[in-house]
């Protein structure tokens, strides 16, 4: 029979290793919202993806956390989610505007060749959602 003190000690040992494991499944990223058409100030957000998680998952989590980030997307039959609007501003084919996906890592900026449903961010990357013209 365990004393209550021993029981709590045993429980603590069981629980302690579990806590960091949950955090280690969070890959931190930043999301910046910028606008090459109006040069409006950049808005910055911090969020995370789970291990090998897609950008869309991080964007949904960020939207649900009510920090002022919102987005909508349409479903393309071939390529999946197409980012349509961010923070209330939508791309418009008549104006030839769209939300461009860029990524800043260490010392370079890349323009991924996949969309928000396929891109898998790496730790500490800055994802740039940039309103732009084509
Ligand atoms: C033109 C074009 C665009 C235009 C489309 C607008 C327009 N009205 O023309 C614009 C500039 C908006 C665009 C944007 C992007 N594009 Co694009 N685009 C093309 C391109 C060159 C031709 C598409 C086309 O007109 N097809 C003919 C029409 C008749 O068919 P459609 O099915 O109606 O075409 C639509 C879809 O292709 C859709 N679309 C275009 N790009 C993308 C990207 C994604 C992720 C989705 C879901 C849909 C989508 O828009 C077209 C018009 O409505 C193709 C390459 C190719 N040769 O096919 C790349 C292509 C489809 N795009 C691609 C990519 C990666 C992007 C971006 C993610 C680039 C970026 N890093 O920002 C962004 C989308 C970001 C977002 N908002 O979600 C990739 C998709 C690969 C993949 N598996 O995800 C392709 C294949 C090029 C490549 N790099 O390999 N694109
Ligand atoms: C970025 O850094 C890597 C390694 O640190 C280097 O190989 C690469 O050339 C650098 N790229 C640029 C654009 O400076
Ligand atoms: C990301 O940043 C954190 C905190 O600065 C650091 O501990 C970690 O090593 C970085 N990871 C990568 C892959 O750069």
């Amino acid at each position: 029979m365990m004393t209550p003190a021993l029981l709590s000690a045993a429980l603590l040992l069981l629980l302690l290793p579990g806590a960091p494991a949950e955090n280690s499944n969070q890959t931190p990223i930043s999301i910046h919202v910028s606008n090459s058409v109006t040069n409006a100030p950049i808005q910055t957000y911090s969020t995370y993806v789970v291990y090998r998680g897609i950008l869309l998952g991080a964007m949904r989590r960020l939207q649900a956390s009510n920090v002022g980030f919102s987005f909508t997307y349409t479903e393309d039959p071939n390529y999946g989610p197409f980012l349509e609007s961010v923070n209330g501003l939508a791309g418009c084919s008549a104006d030839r505007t769209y939300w461009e996906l860029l990524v800043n890592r260490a010392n370079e900026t890349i323009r991924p060749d996949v969309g928000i449903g396929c891109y898998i961010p790496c730790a500490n990357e800055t994802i740039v959602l940039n309103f732009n013209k084509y």
Side-chain angles (χ1 to χ4, degrees):
M1 205 33 194
M2 277 183 166
T3 67
L6 263 177
L7 199 63
S8 340
L11 268 176
L12 203 64
L13 279 175
L14 273 174
L15 290 174
L16 271 180
E22 198 180 309
N23 271 340
S24 72
N25 192 29
Q26 299 184 0
T27 300
I29 59 167
S30 298
I31 294 184
H32 289 188
V33 177
S34 66
N35 192 322
S36 290
V37 179
T38 65
N39 285 315
I42 295 173
Q43 293 159 290
T44 71
Y45 306 90
S46 295
T47 183
Y48 66 89
V49 286
V50 299
Y51 175 70
R52 297 278 296 161
I54 57 173
L55 174 58
L56 179 58
M59 291 168 66
R60 286 182 174 133
R61 187 174 297 112
L62 189 58
Q63 176 161 255
S65 69
N66 291 315
V67 292
F69 176 82
S70 62
F71 72 101
T72 61
Y73 64 89
T74 56
E75 198 68 51
D76 182 90
N78 296 297
Y79 300 117
F82 182 83
L83 184 60
E84 179 183 53
S85 78
V86 177
N87 293 348
L89 176 62
C92 166
S93 51
D95 299 340
R96 298 182 65 85
T97 54
Y98 77 112
W99 283 98
E100 181 183 30
L101 173 60
L102 300 170
V103 176
N104 292 337
R105 55 167 75 125
N107 55 359
E108 56 179 355
T109 299
I110 62 157
R111 189 172 181 273
D113 65 358
V114 294
I116 57 172
C118 293
Y119 187 70
I120 298 177
C122 296
N124 303 335
E125 276 182 359
T126 298
I127 308 297
V128 182
L129 306 177
N130 181 46
F131 194 70
N132 210 346
K133 291 211 141 202
Y134 58 86

